Amino acid sequence: MEHDTLAKRLGIILTRLNTGESLTLSVLAREFNVTERTLQRDFNERLAYLPIEREGSTYFLDPTYLGRQGKTDIKPILDMLGLSKIFPSFDALSFSRLNTKNTPPFLFSNIKIEDITSYEEAFKLLTLAIQDNLIVSFSYKGKPYSKVCPYRLVNDRGWWYLAALHNEQLKLFKVAKLSKVARLDKSFVRLKEVDSQITDSSQLSLTDYPTEVVLKIDSAIANHFSDTSILPDQQLLKILDDGTLLVTSSITNPKQIIPILKYWLPDIEILSPMELKQSLLYDLQFSIEQLSQ
């Protein structure tokens, strides 16, 4: 009987703490018909694993714990960050059961995110400009861009990009290659259709400023590339002793070259840029997963 009474008392105290209540010893003593000393033991020993804070004889739970950060609080944040699809079983989560004694249900390993230390100030400035709907200007690979409407900072396969409107076209700029970033004292009207295009697109287009791709073409297929220009703006760099070709191609969109690369695999290799190689690998892995299903 005493055990049942204790369990009931602790259960009620936990529930009330979890809803954000501040509990006073004298009031609780009258409610449960126990001494304040017993209640002190409840808080200091039986509930010691919780981050309970105290002001005099009043106890309350750290507001970042349990009920104060339940599903209804966290789900909108995941939606806002575009992370909802990472947690397909979000509705099955019980945040009230997550504590230091339990093993978390999820484990993420080998997450590769670009280090932004070298351009942290520009990243912060762009973040503020996006939040305030302010037009920005910058240089990208040495070319000046003015009157740019920044919409989102997109992390695609670990690399950070700025999705923005420029000359009424949606473009993607690699943040690491931006310089002279400045916020202008002029706002822009955010368009819902542009937000939707950014959110729904599986692969956004790179900026219209050309990107040079360096490729190694095996001797087995070299004659096809030496006889005609199969790649966009194809240029021959060097012919190696074994007949292998080193060529360049200039693109403004990965979709201009990825289908061609897929066709000639495994006799063609991307030497640079690395993000294009990662994009190709991602597409191949996705295709393999689809076929295996």
Side-chain angles (χ1 to χ4, degrees):
M1 183 68 177
E2 181 180 348
H3 176 75
D4 292 339
T5 303
L6 172 62
K8 183 178 179 181
R9 183 173 73 248
L10 293 178
I12 293 173
I13 290 174
L14 272 173
T15 301
R16 292 171 64 178
L17 285 173
N18 195 35
T19 58
E21 276 193 59
S22 295
L23 305 178
T24 305
L25 291 180
S26 58
V27 176
L28 290 177
R30 289 195 297 270
E31 289 181 8
F32 294 115
N33 194 26
V34 295
T35 65
E36 290 187 16
R37 191 180 186 88
T38 297
L39 291 166
Q40 285 177 335
R41 187 180 177 189
D42 287 345
F43 287 110
N44 298 333
E45 296 180 18
R46 298 177 178 121
L47 301 176
Y49 66 96
L50 293 173
I52 297 175
E53 300 184 8
R54 174 186 174 186
E55 288 182 1
S57 61
T58 301
Y59 293 77
F60 55 93
L61 200 61
D62 184 329
T64 62
Y65 196 77
L66 295 179
R68 286 291 190 89
Q69 292 294 328
K71 297 175 188 176
T72 56
D73 302 298
I74 296 174
K75 185 62 161 66
I77 297 175
L78 293 177
D79 291 338
M80 179 182 69
L81 296 175
L83 298 175
S84 296
K85 292 181 180 179
I86 295 179
F87 297 97
S89 59
F90 181 85
D91 291 336
L93 280 176
S94 178
F95 287 92
S96 62
R97 291 167 56 190
L98 295 179
N99 57 55
T100 56
K101 294 186 177 181
N102 289 341
T103 301
F106 304 124
L107 173 65
F108 293 91
S109 61
N110 299 319
I111 297 179
K112 297 181 180 179
I113 300 294
E114 184 180 4
D115 183 4
I116 69 166
T117 305
S118 61
Y119 56 89
E120 186 174 356
E121 288 304 315
F123 198 91
K124 290 179 180 178
L125 193 150
L126 290 170
T127 301
L128 293 172
I130 291 170
Q131 291 175 334
D132 296 334
N133 293 334
L134 289 179
I135 293 174
V136 299
S137 65
F138 50 74
S139 291
Y140 186 66
K141 297 182 178 179
K143 178 181 177 181
Y145 284 80
S146 60
K147 299 179 181 179
V148 180
C149 302
Y151 271 74
R152 299 289 290 273
L153 285 164
V154 181
N155 191 287
D156 187 10
R157 303 171 186 89
W159 301 94
W160 281 109
Y161 297 89
L162 170 67
L165 274 187
H166 178 252
N167 293 337
E168 299 183 353
Q169 292 184 349
L170 179 59
K171 300 174 183 178
L172 204 64
F173 301 88
K174 197 169 189 297
V175 181
K177 297 186 181 297
L178 297 178
S179 62
K180 301 178 182 178
V181 181
R183 286 196 306 168
L184 308 182
D185 293 328
K186 185 176 181 182
S187 61
F188 66 93
V189 178
R190 200 176 186 95
L191 302 176
K192 291 183 178 179
E193 56 267 30
V194 175
D195 273 317
S196 298
Q197 185 178 350
I198 295 170
T199 304
D200 299 338
S201 178
S202 59
Q203 185 175 351
L204 293 169
S205 300
L206 291 172
T207 177
D208 59 356
Y209 191 70
T211 297
E212 184 182 68
V213 180
V214 181
L215 302 164
K216 183 168 73 171
I217 300 171
D218 192 88
S219 58
I221 60 171
N223 63 307
H224 296 283
F225 288 83
S226 58
D227 292 342
T228 184
S229 294
I230 297 177
L231 304 165
D233 195 17
Q234 177 180 318
Q235 300 291 330
L236 176 64
L237 281 180
K238 188 175 183 181
I239 301 176
L240 303 181
D241 293 340
D242 63 355
T244 298
L245 304 181
L246 296 182
V247 303
T248 64
S249 175
S250 183
I251 63 170
T252 58
N253 188 323
K255 294 178 182 178
Q256 291 177 282
I257 197 170
I258 283 183
I260 302 173
L261 298 176
K262 286 181 178 179
Y263 180 82
W264 292 101
L265 287 176
D267 297 315
I268 194 167
E269 179 186 354
I270 301 173
L271 299 181
S272 70
M274 186 56 64
E275 52 263 37
L276 181 64
K277 186 172 185 177
Q278 290 177 333
S279 181
L280 176 61
L281 289 173
Y282 176 85
D283 285 353
L284 291 172
Q285 289 171 354
F286 179 79
S287 299
I288 292 171
E289 289 174 1
Q290 292 295 103
L291 288 172
S292 65
Q293 291 176 4

